[in-house]
Amino acid sequence: MRAVIMAGGKGTRLQSIASDIPKPMVSVAGKPILEYQIESLKGSGIEGITLIIGHLGNVIRDYFGDGTRWGVHIDYITEETPLGTAGALYFLKGKADEDFLLVFGDLMVDVDWKRFMDFHKSHGSLITLFGHPNTHPYDSDVIVVDEEDRVQRILPKKEERNFYYKNFVNAGLYCVSPGLLDLIEKPEKVDLEKELIAEQIPHGTVFAYHSTEYVKDMGTPDRYYSVTDDVVNGVVSSRNLKNKQRCVFLDRDGTINELRGFLNSAEDFELIPGVGEAIARLNASKYLVIVATNQPVIARGECSVEELDRIHMKLETELGKCGAYIDGLYYCPHHPHKGYAGEVPELKIDCECRKPKIGMLTHAAEDFNIDLAASWYIGDTTMDIQTGINAGMHTVLLHTGEAGQDHKYNVSAEFETPDLGGAVELVLKN
């Protein structure tokens, strides 16, 4: 497997930090960001790397040479004039006869590249985007996918959004089939996203891979210092999905949003004050944040799947405004008791995912390589606490929502706190 790194950026917005070197050579905790990328690729067994260089490219070539020092083989493509985000790929024709990875050189990244490529190949994709939630979806390009992870459209960051959307952002990493190179007819300026990808979306050949791994650009001083802290604190390497993950699982109603009975409309969804800030603290830590919620309103016919999706998109939109995000969301649509007008018969079953059973948690653990014993369940009911106990997790009961007054289970949480902010404080201390 080969990787191609676009390493020709000037780093105009980082002039206050480094002005005489290419952007990918800016030092983070003692070594260039490009070196972190090469080490991450090598960690997944990728030893053939092509660097596309331009502005002050000699600095990159002098530092990395042929890659022997890192146990890889590096070759170079030099842009004599800037060719956009894809024009230089023309020079790969005849060289790249297998699917390859494409990486933008200004990203701090540590991911399981093989897992990413396996997804790409299993979907027969022409190009696969690496998508993830981030802390600023409102000024990022957001990917919209169907149930098969096929990209339907990309919402540009510069367009106004007067609707709710999922926080699923294009990270700047791609798996590419050599067939994409056939679309670049000559070495001229080409925009990867606005031209190549946009033209292929209607053909159904573009897919998006969802990951919780660490990918952040360091294009501004603030982001540069944030990335540096994450490197020093071990957050970057800990998020690689080859490593067991720790997670904070959250109930939804009464934990994240105000308790409004059986919520069946996005317009009635409202975050509990302070929740966004609390989740943002977890996002900055080594913990994943995943919502696991029973939603019997689907089985009872009181809410459509489409409206539930709107509710959850509003959840992600509102959290995004607070600089926060969730890494995943699982819900159980089943309900075992029959007799409701408009109920959906096939969903009126005794399933394995309805809390306090742990099907949603084990599904998440499989998807994201989570160590449940090192994870937490936080909620406002005794059912939530029983769920966490059943999964062998640490538990926190909140005094928001039902505040444990459901009395469905005779259990005690490991901790109790007034709200989610207090629970996050406990998690981070423990």
Side-chain angles (χ1 to χ4, degrees):
M1 188 166 32
R2 170 167 291 276
V4 177
I5 303 177
M6 305 289 287
K10 290 185 177 181
T12 305
R13 293 178 295 172
L14 287 174
Q15 292 295 309
S16 63
I17 295 170
S19 59
D20 58 347
I21 56 175
K23 189 176 180 181
M25 291 301 290
V26 172
S27 179
V28 177
K31 61 185 176 185
I33 195 165
L34 187 54
E35 188 169 353
Y36 287 99
Q37 293 186 346
I38 290 170
E39 289 174 344
S40 177
L41 290 163
K42 170 65 174 175
S44 286
I46 299 161
E47 298 181 354
I49 298 173
T50 297
L51 299 182
I52 298 178
I53 58 176
H55 175 70
L56 296 175
N58 60 296
V59 177
I60 295 175
R61 192 188 290 267
D62 290 346
Y63 188 90
F64 289 102
D66 65 2
T68 301
R69 178 178 159 195
W70 291 269
V72 299
H73 174 73
I74 297 176
D75 58 53
Y76 297 86
I77 293 173
T78 301
E79 287 183 320
E80 300 299 339
T81 58
L83 298 176
T85 51
L89 298 181
Y90 173 86
F91 297 108
L92 289 172
K93 289 187 174 187
K95 297 180 180 179
D97 54 1
E98 295 181 336
D99 294 351
F100 61 92
L101 295 159
L102 179 62
V103 184
F104 282 86
D106 61 348
L107 300 171
M108 176 58 70
V109 53
D110 191 0
V111 306
D112 185 345
W113 299 99
K114 184 179 182 302
R115 184 181 177 125
F116 182 25
M117 182 60 79
D118 287 346
F119 173 95
H120 167 77
K121 290 182 176 180
S122 69
H123 286 73
S125 178
L126 184 66
I127 183 167
T128 301
L129 287 61
F130 187 108
H132 66 160
N134 75 8
T135 58
H136 50 101
Y138 48 82
D139 68 355
S140 302
D141 292 337
V142 170
I143 309 167
V144 180
V145 299
D146 64 15
E147 292 181 354
E148 297 178 339
D149 298 311
R150 184 178 284 106
V151 176
Q152 301 296 292
R153 61 186 183 279
I154 297 176
L155 307 176
K157 60 185 175 184
K158 293 183 179 179
E159 288 188 7
E160 182 181 359
R161 299 174 195 154
N162 56 358
F163 50 86
Y164 308 129
Y165 55 90
K166 185 174 177 62
N167 184 344
F168 188 46
V169 172
N170 187 12
L173 311 178
Y174 306 87
C175 288
V176 181
S177 164
L180 188 78
L181 303 179
D182 296 337
L183 306 176
I184 307 173
E185 297 179 353
K186 53 186 176 181
E188 61 184 3
K189 203 166 190 176
V190 178
D191 188 288
L192 177 66
E193 186 176 303
K194 294 178 181 177
E195 295 180 59
L196 294 184
I197 292 175
E199 290 172 3
Q200 293 307 305
I201 287 175
H203 299 295
T205 57
V206 182
F207 288 78
Y209 168 78
H210 177 273
S211 181
T212 60
E213 294 167 296
Y214 194 100
V215 184
K216 284 188 182 179
D217 78 81
M218 38 154 260
T220 66
D222 284 349
R223 291 178 188 172
Y224 167 82
Y225 292 118
S226 174
V227 165
T228 300
D229 287 343
D230 288 341
V231 170
V232 172
N233 294 329
V235 174
V236 177
S237 58
S238 70
R239 287 295 186 98
N240 189 308
L241 286 177
K242 289 187 289 187
N243 303 319
K244 278 292 184 182
Q245 302 295 299
R246 291 183 289 176
C247 180
V248 173
F249 288 91
L250 300 175
D251 174 48
R252 195 193 79 180
D253 302 308
T255 297
I256 293 175
N257 55 284
E258 298 285 2
L259 190 61
R260 300 275 170 80
F262 290 105
L263 186 66
N264 58 16
S265 169
E267 280 61 46
D268 293 332
F269 178 94
E270 182 181 356
L271 288 179
I272 295 173
V275 160
E277 294 78 2
I279 292 177
R281 290 192 66 195
L282 289 174
N283 297 148
S285 75
K286 297 179 181 180
Y287 284 93
L288 304 182
V289 180
I290 292 177
V291 175
T293 174
N294 287 347
Q295 291 301 316
V297 288
I298 301 298
R300 296 189 334 203
E302 297 168 356
C303 181
S304 66
V305 171
E306 292 75 19
E307 186 60 20
L308 184 62
D309 286 343
R310 268 189 86 231
I311 291 170
H312 291 153
M313 284 191 287
K314 184 175 183 181
L315 183 159
E316 296 201 39
T317 302
E318 295 300 315
L319 285 178
K321 293 176 183 177
C322 302
Y325 59 85
I326 56 173
D327 292 290
L329 187 149
Y330 297 78
Y331 70 86
C332 171
H334 306 112
H335 190 240
H337 306 131
K338 300 180 180 179
Y340 293 82
E343 67 186 17
V344 182
E346 60 268 28
L347 297 179
K348 305 296 288 187
I349 61 173
D350 185 12
C351 63
E352 293 302 314
C353 55
R354 180 175 167 82
K355 297 185 295 185
K357 294 181 181 179
I358 64 172
M360 288 187 286
L361 309 187
T362 55
H363 188 181
E366 182 178 344
D367 288 345
F368 298 113
N369 195 21
I370 295 169
D371 180 357
L372 292 178
S375 299
W376 297 69
Y377 199 97
I378 299 175
D380 65 305
T381 67
T382 60
M383 179 183 286
D384 295 324
I385 302 310
Q386 185 66 65
T387 303
I389 291 171
N390 289 347
M393 299 163 65
H394 302 290
T395 57
V396 184
L397 177 69
L398 304 184
H399 295 168
T400 52
E402 295 199 40
Q405 297 306 304
D406 58 309
H407 299 304
K408 290 182 179 178
Y409 297 90
N410 185 24
V411 292
S412 296
E414 193 173 347
F415 301 97
E416 290 191 29
T417 64
D419 53 27
L420 187 58
V424 168
E425 190 73 29
L426 279 169
V427 170
L428 297 181
K429 281 184 177 179
N430 286 276

